[in-house]
Amino acid sequence: MVDMRNDRAIAGPAILFLCLGNICRSPLAEGAARAAFARAGIDATLDSAGTGDWHIGHAPDARAQAEARRRGVDISALRGRQLRRADFYDFDLILAADASNLRDARAIRPTDATAELKLMLDLLPERGGQGVTDPYYGEDDGFAETWDDVDAVAAALVAEFSPSSG
Ligand code: 4NP
């Protein structure tokens, strides 16, 4: 998709990853997607946000940063922000980590929103309807599972938006 913003042509899809705090699942998803789109040579606008406001301006959770680094991706420069109404027009696709995030997003979704809104795991045929488990309150190995989930979502997005896939 190509559209014009601020007199600049922006090529490629604009995708927002959404979770609760914007310090664990959605920054990992953004990091995995940034790496996957870069590897594929596809331009994309990628961002993440939380439905909650507790971590505005905060770097990702140290355990999330460590897991991303272990997978070769540096997410340390990302900063938390809260989902806003403009996101429903600025992005083509908003991907929520779980059903609760999806419900909260639907509650503030403007009626004329242009962004499609669905679950991250809806991108994976065998995982549709499922949520990405929140690793925040769990053990460190939960972050490896989160990475595996969001990395699979990133691969599905790259496949969907590859020029050859039509
Ligand atoms: P996230 O995890 O939604 O994957 O970023 C959470 C991070 C922080 C909180 C909850 C979930 N919190 O309550 O502060």
Side-chain angles (χ1 to χ4, degrees):
M1 194 164 302
V2 176
D3 70 338
M4 300 295 291
R5 268 178 237 152
N6 303 326
D7 297 326
R8 273 189 311 126
I10 299 173
I15 304 165
L16 180 70
F17 300 94
L18 180 71
C19 64
L20 177 60
N22 194 208
I23 55 168
C24 295
R25 292 165 296 175
S26 62
L28 284 170
E30 180 183 346
R34 284 185 180 280
F37 276 92
R39 277 195 305 270
I42 301 172
D43 282 337
T45 299
L46 302 166
D47 197 3
S48 63
T51 58
D53 62 2
W54 311 286
H55 298 290
I56 293 171
H58 294 183
D61 185 284
R63 298 164 296 173
Q65 291 191 43
E67 184 60 35
R69 201 176 309 117
R70 204 165 72 78
R71 310 297 187 116
V73 179
D74 181 0
I75 61 168
S76 64
L78 300 182
R79 293 294 177 268
R81 75 165 178 90
Q82 191 171 26
L83 180 68
R84 50 183 175 248
R85 285 171 58 89
D87 291 326
F88 291 92
Y89 306 97
D90 290 345
F91 292 89
D92 301 310
L93 179 60
I94 299 177
L95 290 174
D98 66 26
S100 159
N101 311 145
L102 188 63
R103 210 164 34 241
D104 290 343
R106 282 189 177 134
I108 66 157
R109 184 178 196 245
T111 51
D112 63 346
T114 50
E116 186 185 358
L117 173 62
K118 58 187 180 183
L119 290 170
M120 293 183 189
L121 291 177
D122 284 347
L123 275 284
L124 309 180
E126 70 284 9
R127 304 282 305 277
Q130 296 180 15
V132 176
T133 304
D134 190 345
Y136 184 66
Y137 296 105
E139 306 295 327
D140 285 7
D141 62 0
F143 285 80
E145 187 184 326
T146 303
W147 180 273
D148 289 340
D149 280 355
V150 299
D151 198 38
V153 169
L157 284 168
V158 165
E160 182 173 337
F161 292 103
S162 288
S164 57
S165 75

